[in-house]
Amino acid sequence: MFKYLNHLVISKFVMAATGAFIVLFITGHAIGNLQIFLGKDALNTYAAFLQSLGEILWAERIVLGLAFVLHIITSIYLKLYNNKVRPTKYAVTKYIKARFSSRTMIWTGIMIGSFLVFHILHFTSRDIDPKYKEMHEVYQDEHASYFGFDETVMQATNANDFGIGMHPIIKQRHDTYAMVVDGFQNIWISLFYILAVILLGFHLSHAIQSMFQTLGINGPRFTPLMIKISNAYGIFIALAFAIVPLSVLLGFIGRGL
Amino acid sequence: MRINLHVWRQPNTEAKGHIQLYTLDDVSPDMSFLEMLDVLNEQLIQKGDDPVAFESDCREGICGTCGMVIDGIPHGKQSGATVCQLHMRKFKDGDDIYVEPYRHTVFPVIKDLFVDRSAYDRIIQAGGYVSANVGSAPDANANPIPKGIADLAMDAAQCIGCGACAAACPNGSAMLFVAAKVSHFNLLPQGQPEKATRARAMVKRMEDEGFGGCSNYYECEAACPKNISVRFIAKLNRDYLYAAFKEGV
């Protein structure tokens, strides 16, 4: 399976293709997160919707996981291979065009990878703070029909007060909103997240235009524009992710929760 | 002008080299960098020392033989020019200048600033030609080629194979060289029949020689004395992908 590593250009394609998939995911994730500003109900509905996807969610996780594994293995292999090419360094090193973001891809990548492990244990599997597993919200599903009840919840609430024939469905779901607010109220965790997404934005500012170059899309008008888009995209992603912990820290979100 | 020259001295491939300081007084700003080295060598010979070995041929900026690294940049700080076209007026009186050979496992130092660049010749041998016998020159309009394509092929054909791209690349990749050589054939009708084979064979030879992979730093483009654009690397990537599907890798 890893025979492709012997071919430098194929390895580049693997980096670009897996990167493209990760970029699509990151874009969706960043925009999805912003629903926290629409309030508790919007975020928890979105989270419950994602969870309800079931097999589709797992298929997406497997493909994404594979993309990450290939992206990481290929980059580390290439870096070690490329490092062997110049054992004697230049006495004077100067860069004219190689940007700092391009020369630090492997390091920002490794740091983002380590953050990702923490992030998954923190908010996805919720093993870092197991109390997040038990955070539930009882809500009434206004979009559902008037038929059917969740008996366990019914008994725990005064749902009978709604009157016969007018029963909205009372359900229970994970309280993602409370989990996010609780997580980001810890200043160190918030700062760690903000730092990580800044690195991610930095990584992406080189990655997007590099991906097009690798896939063979380059032109005298397209490439300068794509370099600008790439930079703007990196800044957008960093801001879109960082604004959530920042808002919690500053008290715009989750006050009095 | 007075120049403090820090030159890499290495008697042969196996020996361990070191940086040696030479101070040159009375350097004329009108000298080319190579003429300045000639003056240094005359002084060294008069003193009975070993002159600094470096390569040069045309001394008019078209052959690329004089490739060396000056202050960390192959061919020095003048953009789009070889060392012989870099003049001392680009430096200031009292400047410290570091002169090193290309540092690359594929370009072993033969002596001082003189490296073995025959790996590039072997890449050309792998596919940098058209193998059909085309006979004598046809009429100019017998084989119509759009002006844009002809210009682009000419831009690629400007590559003089000096090795600066691989020397400048943080990964030691020769992709810009291979891309230029593949593109100038693959853009033109005469190169079409062997398009896939050429891209595959020349990339394979580049890998076998031990050059690194491209990470899109674009340092090669900045160092290239002929201003070859990295858009040719994108074209090589396309041609290679086409070849990989057509013929495998």
Side-chain angles (χ1 to χ4, degrees), chain A residues 6-10 12-13 78-79 81-82 84-99 102-103 206 209-220 227, chain B residues 19 69 71-73 98 100-105 166-167 169-172 175 203 206-207 210-219 221-222 230-231 233-234 237-238 240-241 249:
Chain A
N6 295 327
H7 304 287
L8 293 171
V9 183
I10 300 287
K12 275 167 65 94
F13 290 138
L78 281 178
K79 187 69 192 171
Y81 181 85
N82 290 335
K84 280 188 290 192
V85 170
R86 185 168 295 130
T88 323
K89 302 278 168 250
Y90 286 111
V92 181
T93 311
K94 205 175 264 176
Y95 297 107
I96 312 167
K97 225 166 194 168
R99 299 191 304 171
S102 72
R103 287 182 279 118
H206 175 70
Q209 56 87 22
S210 182
M211 177 177 78
F212 283 100
Q213 167 76 6
T214 297
L215 295 176
I217 306 169
N218 182 314
I227 289 175
Chain B
I19 297 259
V69 177
D71 286 339
I73 305 169
Y98 284 82
E100 299 171 79
Y102 289 168
R103 303 237 186 253
H104 204 297
T105 43
C169 178
N171 291 349
M175 280 293 275
V203 167
M206 177 191 83
E207 290 164 351
F211 288 100
C214 176
S215 293
N216 301 334
Y217 296 114
Y218 310 141
E219 198 59 19
E221 182 184 73
V230 290
R231 66 183 293 189
I233 297 183
N237 290 339
R238 286 201 299 277
Y240 189 83
L241 196 60
V249 284

Coordinates of all heavy atoms in Angstrom, one line a residue, chain A residues 6-10 12-13 78-79 81-82 84-99 102-103 206 209-220 227, chain B residues 19 69 71-73 98 100-105 166-167 169-172 175 203 206-207 210-219 221-222 230-231 233-234 237-238 240-241 249:
Chain A
N6 N 7.7 5.7 -2.9 CA 8.9 5.7 -3.7 C 8.8 6.6 -4.9 O 9.8 6.8 -5.6 CB 9.2 4.2 -4.2 CG 9.5 3.3 -3.0 OD1 10.1 3.7 -2.1 ND2 9.1 2.1 -3.2
H7 N 7.6 7.1 -5.1 CA 7.4 8.1 -6.2 C 7.1 9.5 -5.7 O 6.1 9.7 -5.1 CB 6.3 7.6 -7.1 CG 6.5 6.2 -7.6 ND1 7.4 5.9 -8.6 CD2 5.9 5.0 -7.3 CE1 7.4 4.6 -8.8 NE2 6.5 4.0 -8.0
L8 N 8.1 10.4 -5.9 CA 7.9 11.7 -5.3 C 6.7 12.4 -5.7 O 6.0 13.1 -4.9 CB 9.2 12.5 -5.6 CG 10.5 12.0 -5.0 CD1 11.7 12.8 -5.6 CD2 10.4 12.2 -3.5
V9 N 6.4 12.4 -7.0 CA 5.2 13.1 -7.5 C 3.9 12.5 -7.1 O 3.0 13.2 -6.7 CB 5.3 13.3 -9.1 CG1 4.2 14.2 -9.6 CG2 6.6 13.9 -9.5
I10 N 3.9 11.2 -7.0 CA 2.7 10.5 -6.5 C 2.5 10.9 -5.1 O 1.3 11.2 -4.6 CB 2.8 9.0 -6.7 CG1 2.9 8.6 -8.1 CG2 1.5 8.3 -6.1 CD1 1.7 8.7 -9.0
K12 N 3.3 13.6 -3.7 CA 2.7 15.0 -3.7 C 1.2 14.9 -3.9 O 0.5 15.7 -3.2 CB 3.3 15.8 -4.8 CG 4.6 16.5 -4.5 CD 5.3 17.0 -5.8 CE 4.5 18.0 -6.5 NZ 4.9 19.4 -6.2
F13 N 0.8 14.1 -4.9 CA -0.6 14.0 -5.1 C -1.4 13.5 -3.9 O -2.5 14.0 -3.6 CB -0.9 13.0 -6.3 CG -0.5 13.6 -7.6 CD1 0.2 12.7 -8.6 CD2 -0.7 14.9 -8.0 CE1 0.6 13.2 -9.8 CE2 -0.3 15.4 -9.2 CZ 0.4 14.6 -10.1
L78 N 8.4 12.0 3.5 CA 9.0 13.0 2.6 C 10.0 13.9 3.3 O 11.1 14.1 2.8 CB 7.9 13.8 1.9 CG 7.1 13.2 0.8 CD1 6.1 14.2 0.3 CD2 8.0 12.8 -0.4
K79 N 9.6 14.3 4.5 CA 10.5 15.2 5.2 C 11.8 14.5 5.5 O 12.9 15.1 5.3 CB 9.8 15.7 6.5 CG 10.6 16.8 7.2 CD 10.6 18.1 6.5 CE 11.5 19.1 7.0 NZ 11.6 20.3 6.1
Y81 N 13.1 12.0 4.0 CA 13.8 11.7 2.8 C 14.5 13.0 2.2 O 15.7 12.9 1.9 CB 12.8 11.2 1.7 CG 13.4 10.9 0.4 CD1 13.9 9.6 0.1 CD2 13.4 11.8 -0.6 CE1 14.5 9.3 -1.1 CE2 14.0 11.5 -1.9 CZ 14.5 10.3 -2.1 OH 15.0 10.0 -3.3
N82 N 13.8 14.1 2.3 CA 14.3 15.3 1.7 C 15.5 15.8 2.6 O 16.4 16.5 2.1 CB 13.2 16.4 1.7 CG 12.2 16.1 0.6 OD1 12.5 15.4 -0.4 ND2 11.0 16.6 0.8
K84 N 17.8 14.2 3.9 CA 19.0 13.5 3.6 C 19.8 14.1 2.4 O 20.9 13.8 2.2 CB 18.7 12.0 3.3 CG 18.5 11.2 4.6 CD 18.4 9.7 4.3 CE 17.1 9.4 3.6 NZ 16.8 8.0 3.4
V85 N 19.0 14.9 1.6 CA 19.6 15.3 0.3 C 20.7 16.4 0.6 O 21.7 16.4 -0.2 CB 18.5 15.9 -0.6 CG1 19.1 16.6 -1.8 CG2 17.6 14.8 -1.0
R86 N 20.7 17.1 1.7 CA 21.7 18.1 1.9 C 22.3 17.9 3.3 O 21.9 18.7 4.2 CB 21.1 19.5 1.7 CG 22.2 20.6 1.8 CD 21.6 22.0 1.4 NE 21.3 21.9 -0.1 CZ 20.1 22.4 -0.6 NH1 19.2 22.8 0.2 NH2 19.9 22.3 -1.9
P87 N 23.2 17.0 3.4 CA 23.8 16.7 4.8 C 24.7 17.9 5.2 O 24.7 18.2 6.4 CB 24.6 15.4 4.6 CG 24.7 15.2 3.1 CD 23.7 16.0 2.4
T88 N 25.4 18.5 4.3 CA 26.2 19.7 4.7 C 25.4 20.9 4.4 O 25.0 21.2 3.3 CB 27.5 19.8 3.8 OG1 28.0 18.5 3.6 CG2 28.5 20.6 4.5
K89 N 25.1 21.7 5.5 CA 24.3 22.9 5.3 C 25.1 24.0 4.7 O 26.4 24.0 4.8 CB 23.8 23.3 6.7 CG 22.9 22.2 7.4 CD 21.5 22.2 6.8 CE 20.7 21.0 7.3 NZ 20.5 20.0 6.2
Y90 N 24.4 25.0 4.1 CA 25.1 26.2 3.7 C 25.6 27.0 4.9 O 24.9 27.0 5.9 CB 24.1 27.1 2.8 CG 23.9 26.5 1.4 CD1 22.6 26.0 1.1 CD2 24.9 26.5 0.5 CE1 22.4 25.5 -0.2 CE2 24.6 26.0 -0.8 CZ 23.4 25.5 -1.1 OH 23.1 25.0 -2.4
A91 N 26.7 27.7 4.7 CA 27.2 28.5 5.8 C 26.3 29.7 6.0 O 26.1 30.2 7.1 CB 28.6 29.0 5.4
V92 N 25.7 30.2 4.8 CA 24.8 31.3 4.9 C 23.5 30.8 4.3 O 23.5 30.2 3.2 CB 25.3 32.5 4.1 CG1 24.2 33.7 4.2 CG2 26.6 33.0 4.5
T93 N 22.4 30.9 5.0 CA 21.1 30.5 4.4 C 20.2 31.7 4.2 O 20.0 32.5 5.1 CB 20.4 29.5 5.4 OG1 21.3 28.5 5.8 CG2 19.2 28.8 4.7
K94 N 19.7 31.8 3.0 CA 18.8 33.0 2.7 C 17.7 32.5 1.9 O 17.9 31.6 1.0 CB 19.6 34.0 2.0 CG 19.1 35.4 2.1 CD 20.0 36.4 1.5 CE 21.0 37.1 2.4 NZ 21.9 38.0 1.7
Y95 N 16.5 33.0 2.2 CA 15.3 32.6 1.4 C 14.8 33.8 0.7 O 14.6 34.9 1.3 CB 14.2 32.0 2.2 CG 14.7 30.7 2.9 CD1 15.0 30.6 4.2 CD2 14.8 29.5 2.1 CE1 15.4 29.4 4.8 CE2 15.3 28.3 2.7 CZ 15.6 28.3 4.1 OH 16.0 27.1 4.6
I96 N 14.5 33.7 -0.6 CA 13.9 34.8 -1.3 C 12.4 34.7 -1.4 O 11.7 35.6 -1.1 CB 14.5 34.9 -2.7 CG1 16.1 34.8 -2.7 CG2 14.1 36.2 -3.4 CD1 16.7 34.6 -4.0
K97 N 12.0 33.5 -1.8 CA 10.6 33.3 -2.1 C 9.9 32.3 -1.2 O 8.7 32.3 -1.1 CB 10.4 32.8 -3.6 CG 9.3 33.6 -4.3 CD 9.4 33.3 -5.8 CE 8.5 34.3 -6.5 NZ 8.8 34.3 -8.0
A98 N 10.7 31.4 -0.6 CA 10.1 30.4 0.3 C 9.6 31.0 1.5 O 10.3 31.5 2.4 CB 11.2 29.3 0.6
R99 N 8.3 31.1 1.7 CA 7.7 31.7 2.8 C 7.8 30.9 4.1 O 8.0 29.7 4.1 CB 6.2 32.0 2.5 CG 5.9 32.8 1.3 CD 4.5 33.3 1.2 NE 3.5 32.1 1.3 CZ 2.2 32.3 1.4 NH1 1.7 33.5 1.5 NH2 1.4 31.2 1.4
S102 N 5.5 28.1 4.4 CA 5.8 26.9 3.6 C 7.0 26.1 4.2 O 7.0 24.9 4.2 CB 6.2 27.3 2.2 OG 7.5 27.9 2.1
R103 N 7.9 26.8 4.8 CA 9.1 26.1 5.4 C 8.7 25.4 6.8 O 9.5 24.6 7.2 CB 10.3 27.0 5.6 CG 10.9 27.4 4.2 CD 12.1 28.3 4.4 NE 11.7 29.7 4.6 CZ 12.0 30.4 5.6 NH1 12.6 29.9 6.7 NH2 11.6 31.7 5.7
H206 N -0.6 28.3 3.3 CA 0.3 27.7 2.3 C -0.4 26.5 1.6 O -0.2 26.3 0.4 CB 1.6 27.2 2.9 CG 2.5 26.5 1.9 ND1 3.2 27.2 0.9 CD2 2.8 25.2 1.7 CE1 3.8 26.3 0.2 NE2 3.6 25.1 0.6
Q209 N -3.0 27.0 -1.8 CA -2.4 27.3 -3.1 C -1.4 26.2 -3.5 O -1.3 25.9 -4.7 CB -1.8 28.7 -3.1 CG -0.7 29.0 -2.0 CD 0.7 28.5 -2.5 OE1 0.9 28.4 -3.7 NE2 1.5 28.3 -1.5
S210 N -0.8 25.6 -2.5 CA 0.1 24.5 -2.8 C -0.6 23.3 -3.4 O -0.1 22.6 -4.3 CB 0.8 24.1 -1.5 OG 1.8 23.1 -1.7
M211 N -1.8 23.1 -2.9 CA -2.6 22.0 -3.4 C -2.9 22.1 -4.9 O -2.8 21.2 -5.7 CB -3.9 21.9 -2.6 CG -4.9 20.9 -3.0 SD -6.3 21.0 -1.8 CE -7.2 22.4 -2.5
F212 N -3.3 23.4 -5.3 CA -3.6 23.6 -6.7 C -2.4 23.4 -7.6 O -2.4 22.9 -8.7 CB -4.2 25.0 -6.9 CG -5.7 25.1 -6.5 CD1 -6.0 25.6 -5.2 CD2 -6.7 24.6 -7.3 CE1 -7.4 25.6 -4.8 CE2 -8.0 24.6 -6.9 CZ -8.3 25.1 -5.7
Q213 N -1.3 23.9 -7.1 CA 0.0 23.8 -7.8 C 0.3 22.3 -8.0 O 0.7 21.9 -9.1 CB 1.1 24.5 -7.0 CG 2.6 24.1 -7.5 CD 2.9 24.9 -8.8 OE1 2.2 25.7 -9.3 NE2 4.1 24.5 -9.3
T214 N 0.2 21.5 -7.0 CA 0.5 20.1 -7.0 C -0.4 19.4 -8.0 O 0.0 18.5 -8.8 CB 0.4 19.4 -5.6 OG1 1.4 20.0 -4.8 CG2 0.6 17.9 -5.7
L215 N -1.7 19.8 -8.0 CA -2.7 19.1 -8.9 C -2.5 19.7 -10.3 O -3.3 19.3 -11.2 CB -4.1 19.3 -8.3 CG -4.3 18.6 -7.0 CD1 -5.7 18.9 -6.5 CD2 -4.1 17.1 -7.1
G216 N -1.6 20.5 -10.5 CA -1.3 21.0 -11.9 C -2.1 22.1 -12.3 O -2.1 22.4 -13.5
I217 N -2.7 22.8 -11.4 CA -3.6 24.0 -11.8 C -2.8 25.3 -11.5 O -2.6 25.6 -10.3 CB -4.9 24.0 -11.1 CG1 -5.6 22.7 -11.3 CG2 -5.8 25.2 -11.5 CD1 -6.8 22.4 -10.4
N218 N -2.2 25.9 -12.5 CA -1.4 27.1 -12.3 C -1.5 27.9 -13.5 O -1.5 27.4 -14.6 CB 0.1 26.6 -12.1 CG 1.0 27.8 -11.8 OD1 1.0 28.8 -12.5 ND2 1.9 27.6 -10.9
G219 N -1.6 29.2 -13.4 CA -1.7 30.1 -14.5 C -1.3 31.5 -14.1 O -1.3 31.8 -12.9
P220 N -0.9 32.3 -15.0 CA -0.5 33.7 -14.7 C -1.5 34.5 -14.0 O -1.1 35.4 -13.2 CB -0.1 34.3 -16.1 CG -0.7 33.4 -17.1 CD -0.9 32.1 -16.5
I227 N -3.1 32.6 -4.4 CA -2.2 32.8 -3.2 C -2.9 33.8 -2.3 O -2.9 33.5 -1.1 CB -0.8 33.4 -3.7 CG1 0.0 32.2 -4.4 CG2 0.0 33.9 -2.5 CD1 1.3 32.7 -5.0
Chain B
I19 N 35.8 27.1 5.5 CA 35.7 28.5 4.9 C 37.0 29.2 5.2 O 37.5 29.2 6.3 CB 34.6 29.2 5.6 CG1 33.2 28.5 5.3 CG2 34.6 30.7 5.2 CD1 32.4 29.2 4.2
V69 N 27.2 29.4 -5.0 CA 26.3 30.0 -4.1 C 27.0 31.2 -3.4 O 28.0 31.1 -2.7 CB 25.8 29.0 -3.0 CG1 24.9 29.7 -2.0 CG2 25.1 27.9 -3.7
D71 N 26.5 34.3 -0.8 CA 25.7 34.8 0.3 C 24.3 34.0 0.4 O 23.3 34.6 0.6 CB 25.4 36.3 0.2 CG 26.7 37.1 0.6 OD1 27.5 36.5 1.3 OD2 26.8 38.3 0.1
G72 N 24.4 32.7 0.3 CA 23.2 31.9 0.5 C 22.3 31.8 -0.7 O 21.3 31.1 -0.6
I73 N 22.6 32.4 -1.8 CA 21.7 32.4 -3.0 C 22.5 31.9 -4.2 O 23.6 32.4 -4.6 CB 21.2 33.8 -3.3 CG1 20.5 34.4 -2.1 CG2 20.2 33.7 -4.5 CD1 20.1 35.8 -2.3
Y98 N 30.2 35.5 1.3 CA 30.4 34.1 1.5 C 30.2 33.4 0.2 O 29.1 33.5 -0.4 CB 29.4 33.5 2.6 CG 29.9 33.9 4.0 CD1 29.6 35.1 4.5 CD2 30.6 33.0 4.7 CE1 30.0 35.5 5.8 CE2 31.0 33.3 6.0 CZ 30.7 34.6 6.5 OH 31.2 34.9 7.8
E100 N 30.2 29.7 -1.7 CA 30.2 28.3 -1.4 C 29.8 27.5 -2.7 O 29.2 28.1 -3.6 CB 29.1 27.9 -0.4 CG 29.3 28.6 1.0 CD 28.1 28.3 1.9 OE1 28.0 27.2 2.4 OE2 27.2 29.2 2.0
P101 N 30.2 26.2 -2.7 CA 29.7 25.4 -3.8 C 28.2 25.1 -3.6 O 27.7 25.3 -2.5 CB 30.6 24.2 -3.8 CG 30.9 24.1 -2.3 CD 31.0 25.5 -1.8
Y102 N 27.5 24.5 -4.7 CA 26.2 23.9 -4.5 C 26.4 22.8 -3.4 O 27.3 22.1 -3.5 CB 25.7 23.3 -5.7 CG 25.3 24.2 -6.9 CD1 25.1 23.7 -8.1 CD2 25.2 25.6 -6.7 CE1 24.7 24.5 -9.2 CE2 24.8 26.4 -7.7 CZ 24.6 25.9 -9.0 OH 24.2 26.7 -10.0
R103 N 25.4 22.8 -2.5 CA 25.5 21.7 -1.5 C 24.4 20.8 -1.8 O 23.2 21.1 -1.6 CB 25.3 22.3 -0.1 CG 26.3 23.4 0.3 CD 27.0 23.0 1.5 NE 27.9 24.0 2.0 CZ 29.2 24.0 1.8 NH1 29.8 22.9 1.3 NH2 30.0 24.9 2.3
H104 N 24.7 19.6 -2.2 CA 23.8 18.6 -2.6 C 24.5 17.2 -2.7 O 25.5 17.2 -3.3 CB 23.1 19.0 -4.0 CG 21.8 18.4 -4.2 ND1 21.5 17.1 -4.3 CD2 20.6 19.0 -4.4 CE1 20.3 16.9 -4.5 NE2 19.7 18.1 -4.5
T105 N 23.8 16.2 -2.2 CA 24.5 14.9 -2.3 C 24.7 14.5 -3.8 O 25.6 13.7 -4.1 CB 23.7 13.8 -1.6 OG1 22.3 13.9 -1.9 CG2 23.9 13.8 -0.1
A166 N 18.1 23.0 -7.9 CA 18.3 22.0 -6.9 C 19.1 22.5 -5.8 O 19.0 22.1 -4.6 CB 18.9 20.8 -7.6
A167 N 20.1 23.5 -6.1 CA 20.9 24.0 -5.0 C 20.2 24.9 -4.1 O 20.4 25.0 -2.9 CB 22.1 24.8 -5.7
C169 N 16.7 24.8 -3.6 CA 15.6 24.2 -3.0 C 15.9 23.6 -1.6 O 16.9 22.9 -1.5 CB 15.1 23.0 -3.9 SG 13.7 22.1 -3.1
P170 N 15.1 24.0 -0.6 CA 15.4 23.4 0.7 C 15.3 21.9 0.8 O 16.0 21.3 1.6 CB 14.3 24.0 1.6 CG 13.9 25.3 0.9 CD 14.0 25.0 -0.6
N171 N 14.6 21.3 -0.2 CA 14.5 19.9 -0.3 C 15.5 19.3 -1.3 O 15.6 18.1 -1.5 CB 13.2 19.4 -0.8 CG 12.1 19.7 0.3 OD1 12.4 20.0 1.4 ND2 10.8 19.6 -0.1
G172 N 16.3 20.1 -1.9 CA 17.2 19.7 -3.0 C 16.5 19.0 -4.1 O 16.9 18.0 -4.7
M175 N 12.9 19.5 -9.5 CA 11.7 19.6 -10.3 C 11.6 20.7 -11.3 O 11.1 20.5 -12.4 CB 10.5 19.7 -9.3 CG 10.1 18.4 -8.7 SD 9.4 17.2 -9.8 CE 7.7 17.7 -9.9
V203 N 11.2 11.9 -14.6 CA 11.0 12.0 -13.2 C 11.6 10.8 -12.5 O 12.2 10.9 -11.4 CB 9.4 12.1 -12.9 CG1 9.2 11.8 -11.4 CG2 8.9 13.4 -13.3
M206 N 15.2 11.4 -12.1 CA 15.4 12.3 -11.1 C 15.4 11.7 -9.7 O 16.2 11.9 -8.8 CB 14.4 13.4 -11.2 CG 14.5 14.5 -10.1 SD 13.0 15.6 -10.0 CE 11.9 14.6 -9.0
E207 N 14.4 10.8 -9.5 CA 14.2 10.1 -8.2 C 15.4 9.2 -8.0 O 16.0 9.1 -6.9 CB 12.9 9.3 -8.2 CG 11.7 10.1 -8.2 CD 10.4 9.4 -8.5 OE1 10.5 8.2 -9.0 OE2 9.3 9.9 -8.3
G210 N 18.6 10.7 -6.7 CA 18.6 11.0 -5.3 C 18.1 12.4 -5.0 O 18.4 12.9 -3.9
F211 N 17.5 13.1 -6.0 CA 17.0 14.5 -5.7 C 15.8 14.4 -4.8 O 15.1 13.4 -4.8 CB 16.6 15.2 -7.0 CG 17.8 15.6 -7.9 CD1 18.2 14.8 -9.0 CD2 18.5 16.7 -7.5 CE1 19.3 15.2 -9.7 CE2 19.6 17.1 -8.3 CZ 20.0 16.3 -9.4
G212 N 15.5 15.4 -4.1 CA 14.4 15.5 -3.1 C 13.1 15.7 -3.9 O 13.1 15.9 -5.1
G213 N 12.0 15.8 -3.1 CA 10.7 16.0 -3.6 C 10.3 17.5 -3.5 O 10.9 18.2 -2.7
C214 N 9.4 17.9 -4.4 CA 9.0 19.3 -4.4 C 8.0 19.6 -3.3 O 7.0 18.8 -3.1 CB 8.4 19.7 -5.7 SG 7.8 21.3 -5.9
S215 N 8.2 20.7 -2.5 CA 7.2 21.1 -1.5 C 6.6 22.4 -1.8 O 6.0 23.1 -0.9 CB 7.8 21.1 -0.1 OG 8.1 19.8 0.3
N216 N 6.7 22.9 -3.1 CA 6.2 24.2 -3.5 C 6.7 25.4 -2.7 O 5.9 26.2 -2.2 CB 4.6 24.1 -3.5 CG 4.1 23.1 -4.4 OD1 4.7 22.7 -5.4 ND2 2.9 22.6 -4.1
Y217 N 8.0 25.4 -2.4 CA 8.6 26.5 -1.7 C 8.8 27.7 -2.7 O 8.9 28.8 -2.3 CB 10.0 26.2 -1.2 CG 10.0 25.1 -0.1 CD1 10.6 23.9 -0.3 CD2 9.5 25.4 1.2 CE1 10.7 23.0 0.7 CE2 9.5 24.5 2.2 CZ 10.1 23.3 2.0 OH 10.2 22.3 3.0
Y218 N 9.0 27.3 -4.0 CA 9.2 28.3 -5.1 C 10.6 29.0 -5.0 O 10.8 30.1 -5.6 CB 8.1 29.3 -5.2 CG 6.7 28.7 -5.2 CD1 5.6 29.3 -4.6 CD2 6.5 27.5 -5.9 CE1 4.4 28.7 -4.6 CE2 5.2 26.9 -6.0 CZ 4.2 27.5 -5.3 OH 2.9 26.9 -5.3
E219 N 11.5 28.4 -4.2 CA 12.8 29.0 -4.0 C 13.6 28.8 -5.3 O 14.4 29.7 -5.7 CB 13.5 28.4 -2.8 CG 14.7 29.2 -2.3 CD 14.4 30.6 -1.8 OE1 13.2 30.9 -1.5 OE2 15.3 31.4 -1.7
E221 N 12.4 29.0 -8.4 CA 12.0 30.0 -9.3 C 12.8 31.3 -9.0 O 13.2 32.1 -9.9 CB 10.5 30.3 -9.2 CG 9.9 31.3 -10.2 CD 8.4 31.5 -9.9 OE1 8.1 32.1 -8.9 OE2 7.6 31.0 -10.7
A222 N 12.9 31.6 -7.7 CA 13.6 32.9 -7.3 C 15.1 32.8 -7.7 O 15.7 33.9 -8.0 CB 13.4 33.1 -5.8
V230 N 7.5 28.4 -12.0 CA 7.1 27.1 -11.4 C 5.8 26.6 -12.1 O 5.3 25.5 -11.7 CB 6.9 27.3 -9.9 CG1 8.2 27.4 -9.2 CG2 5.9 28.4 -9.5
R231 N 5.2 27.4 -13.0 CA 4.0 26.9 -13.6 C 4.4 25.7 -14.5 O 3.5 24.8 -14.7 CB 3.4 28.0 -14.5 CG 4.2 28.4 -15.7 CD 3.5 29.5 -16.5 NE 2.3 29.1 -17.1 CZ 1.6 29.8 -18.0 NH1 2.0 31.0 -18.3 NH2 0.6 29.3 -18.6
I233 N 6.3 23.4 -13.3 CA 6.2 22.2 -12.4 C 4.8 21.7 -12.3 O 4.5 20.5 -12.3 CB 6.7 22.6 -11.0 CG1 8.2 23.0 -11.1 CG2 6.5 21.5 -10.0 CD1 8.8 23.3 -9.7
A234 N 3.8 22.7 -12.4 CA 2.4 22.3 -12.4 C 2.1 21.5 -13.7 O 1.4 20.5 -13.6 CB 1.5 23.6 -12.3
N237 N 3.5 18.1 -13.3 CA 2.6 17.3 -12.4 C 1.4 16.8 -13.2 O 1.0 15.6 -13.1 CB 2.0 18.1 -11.2 CG 3.1 18.5 -10.2 OD1 4.1 17.8 -10.2 ND2 2.9 19.5 -9.5
R238 N 0.8 17.6 -14.1 CA -0.3 17.2 -14.9 C 0.2 16.1 -15.9 O -0.5 15.0 -16.0 CB -0.8 18.4 -15.8 CG -1.6 19.4 -15.1 CD -2.4 20.2 -16.1 NE -1.7 20.9 -17.1 CZ -1.2 22.1 -17.0 NH1 -1.3 22.7 -15.8 NH2 -0.5 22.7 -17.9
Y240 N 2.6 14.1 -15.6 CA 3.0 12.9 -14.9 C 1.7 12.1 -14.5 O 1.7 10.9 -14.5 CB 3.8 13.2 -13.6 CG 4.4 12.0 -12.9 CD1 5.6 11.5 -13.4 CD2 3.8 11.5 -11.8 CE1 6.2 10.4 -12.8 CE2 4.4 10.4 -11.2 CZ 5.5 9.8 -11.7 OH 6.1 8.7 -11.1
L241 N 0.7 12.8 -14.0 CA -0.6 12.2 -13.6 C -1.2 11.5 -14.9 O -1.6 10.4 -14.8 CB -1.5 13.3 -13.1 CG -2.7 12.8 -12.3 CD1 -2.3 12.0 -11.1 CD2 -3.6 13.9 -11.9
V249 N 3.4 3.9 -13.2 CA 4.6 4.7 -12.8 C 5.9 3.9 -12.8 O 5.9 2.7 -13.1 CB 4.4 5.3 -11.4 CG1 3.5 6.5 -11.4 CG2 4.0 4.3 -10.3

